[in-house]
Amino acid sequence: MKKQKTESTKLKTLRRATRISQGVFWAAVLMWPMSALAHTRGGEAIGFLSGAQHPVSGLDHVLAMIAVGLWGAQLGAPAVWVLPVTFPMVMAFGGMLGLMGVKLPGIEIGIAASAIALGFVVFREAKPKLWLAAVLVGFFAVFHGHAHGTELPPGGNGLLYSIGFVIATGCLHATGIAIGLIHRWPAGRAVLRLAGGGVAVAGVLFLWRALA
Amino acid sequence: MKHSVILLSIGALLLAASPAQAHLMNSGFGPFYDGLAHPFLVPDDLLPVIALTLLAGLRGARCGRWVVFALPSAWLAGMAAAAVIHLPSGPVWMTCALTIVLGALAAADRPWPVALVVGLAAVAGATHGFGNGRELAAIKGGGLAMAGIASALFVVSALTAGQLATLRAHWARVAVRVAGSWIAAIGLLMLGWSMRTGQ
């Protein structure tokens, strides 16, 4: 009995110590001194937050990226994580091409088509082979990445910008996957299909705007 | 719980990192501590280290043990070499390419040979160390700063690879692979930036 009591006290002390060390760690992170920037930088490519804002700045991008997450959730494992891994990597490749100045025709049309196609597959609850789904997602990711790459002015610190950009893209996919969790219920499946239809309709509007 | 705290901590350190700078941050505690803080404040250096430790952790304890010693040693050797040999550091695209490769290998999560991972650790350490060493050689107490950087790298790689080597849950390995893919994506964008600015 006494031994149990001692063990319990030890456990409590250990938990308290863990909480204190976590508190100290977060306090240290919050108070971490940042380097003073002696110069202001032009353009928007100046840091993490501007990078994080970029993917969410256009509805066409947002809908397509969320649709990737929705489709992944419909397809289940391993597509649920293969698609959101494929998209940022290929999108970054497209972004690299854009930054390097490589021309790609029909960017806006490609982005609109991505919303139509991804919305359509979610609406139809299409279940192709994994590699085909990854190729489809990757193909459209190039357009999204290229658009971002060409729109960016040269900035002082591309790395922090890129970190923000990729994390924001991943978060959009995660949002799609989280919404897609309703797929386990019959009503949720219907809602997801409706959402896919909505994305496709929005894609048609984007296409109309791109062609106008 | 423990793993999520570690992953959150790594994320927070990445986000807390300030822009890359040409000189060591003055911590006020002396050059060793300036060096200790350096990898956490320069994401250019931290990112490949994280990618490498993700890769080593996924490959298991044996690989992790090798990398924990190979990375800081190579980094230290690179810094020492830069202090003696007066050559310009490698082009930015080279470090970007290394980051892409390390991130992609972690994302693929294949049974890569331990020698390949350790070799990459040596190359990444020597390349980044050489870049650091050129600046450190010119300052007072540069040797202590170098020791500080190597110590920080040892701690980061030991903690990260050690934690990851114990991962058994499928979702946790997937999370690490996703992190690897994000690092590769960041490397690709950085490569684009470097080409654009002619570095």
Side-chain angles (χ1 to χ4, degrees):
Chain A
M1 188 68 183
K2 198 178 174 185
K3 197 180 173 188
Q4 270 183 343
K5 226 175 195 176
T6 321
E7 287 293 318
S8 162
T9 317
K10 272 185 188 171
L11 206 64
K12 272 182 191 165
T13 316
L14 195 67
R15 279 189 188 142
R16 198 183 306 153
T18 310
R19 273 201 296 272
I20 291 169
S21 61
Q22 281 175 8
V24 169
F25 173 81
W26 288 111
V29 168
L30 284 171
M31 291 187 292
W32 200 276
M34 290 285 150
S35 63
L37 294 172
H39 310 284
T40 54
R41 288 161 176 159
E44 59 174 338
I46 52 170
F48 177 80
L49 284 179
S50 57
Q53 280 166 2
H54 216 264
V56 294
S57 60
L59 191 62
D60 45 359
H61 293 295
V62 172
L63 287 179
M65 288 175 208
I66 288 180
V68 170
L70 294 179
W71 197 27
Q74 280 181 335
L75 292 172
V80 69
W81 61 270
V82 167
L83 299 187
V85 161
T86 307
F87 196 96
M89 282 185 78
V90 185
M91 190 187 70
F93 176 71
M96 186 188 78
L97 294 180
L99 283 162
M100 287 164 66
V102 177
K103 302 277 182 225
L104 196 66
I107 296 291
E108 290 304 319
I109 294 170
I111 291 169
S114 74
I116 296 171
L118 292 169
F120 183 72
V121 292
V122 172
F123 177 69
R124 289 294 310 269
E125 218 171 310
K127 292 196 170 162
K129 287 201 163 106
L130 181 63
W131 67 266
L132 191 61
V135 166
L136 181 76
V137 163
F139 173 72
F140 288 120
V142 174
F143 292 101
H144 286 269
H146 194 279
H148 287 301
T150 46
E151 284 165 13
L152 304 178
N157 192 301
L159 180 54
L160 283 180
Y161 181 93
S162 305
I163 292 173
F165 183 81
V166 171
I167 288 177
T169 305
C171 288
L172 284 173
H173 294 319
T175 306
I177 293 169
I179 296 169
L181 290 178
I182 61 171
H183 185 252
R184 66 181 70 178
W185 298 292
R189 256 178 240 144
V191 171
L192 275 188
R193 292 185 66 173
L194 263 176
V199 172
V201 169
V204 172
L205 292 174
F206 298 142
L207 185 64
W208 185 25
R209 203 175 59 184
L211 293 172
Chain B
M1 173 66 187
K2 202 165 71 176
H3 292 142
S4 61
V5 169
I6 297 288
L7 289 174
L8 270 172
S9 310
I10 293 164
L13 285 172
L14 267 174
L15 296 182
S18 63
Q21 42 200 342
H23 309 288
L24 279 180
M25 183 206 71
N26 187 355
S27 66
F29 295 111
F32 178 80
Y33 293 94
D34 296 350
L36 208 59
H38 180 76
F40 301 107
L41 298 173
V42 183
D44 308 58
D45 285 345
L46 189 59
L47 210 58
V49 171
I50 296 293
L52 192 60
T53 49
L54 293 181
L55 180 60
L58 284 176
R59 286 297 296 116
R62 186 167 157 255
C63 187
R65 275 195 290 271
W66 275 101
V67 167
V68 159
F69 290 101
L71 179 70
S73 309
W75 205 293
L76 199 57
M79 288 188 288
V84 181
I85 310 162
H86 298 283
L87 282 173
S89 54
V92 176
W93 66 259
M94 209 162 88
T95 52
C96 296
L98 260 173
T99 307
I100 295 167
V101 170
L102 293 170
L105 291 181
D109 191 19
R110 307 301 303 164
W112 308 114
V114 174
L116 172 73
V117 182
V118 177
L120 282 169
V123 172
T127 311
H128 282 266
F130 198 84
N132 289 165
R134 285 186 68 243
E135 295 149 14
L136 297 177
I139 65 166
K140 197 183 166 191
L144 276 174
M146 288 179 194
I149 291 175
S151 305
L153 292 172
F154 178 82
V155 172
V156 169
S157 49
L159 285 177
T160 317
Q163 285 296 321
L164 295 180
T166 62
L167 289 181
R168 292 291 173 269
H170 178 67
W171 68 264
R173 284 187 83 88
V174 167
V176 174
R177 293 177 71 173
V178 170
S181 76
W182 285 9
I183 291 175
I186 292 163
L188 276 167
L189 285 170
M190 277 311 295
L191 189 62
W193 283 105
S194 69
M195 297 282 183
R196 190 178 199 178
T197 52
Q199 291 177 303

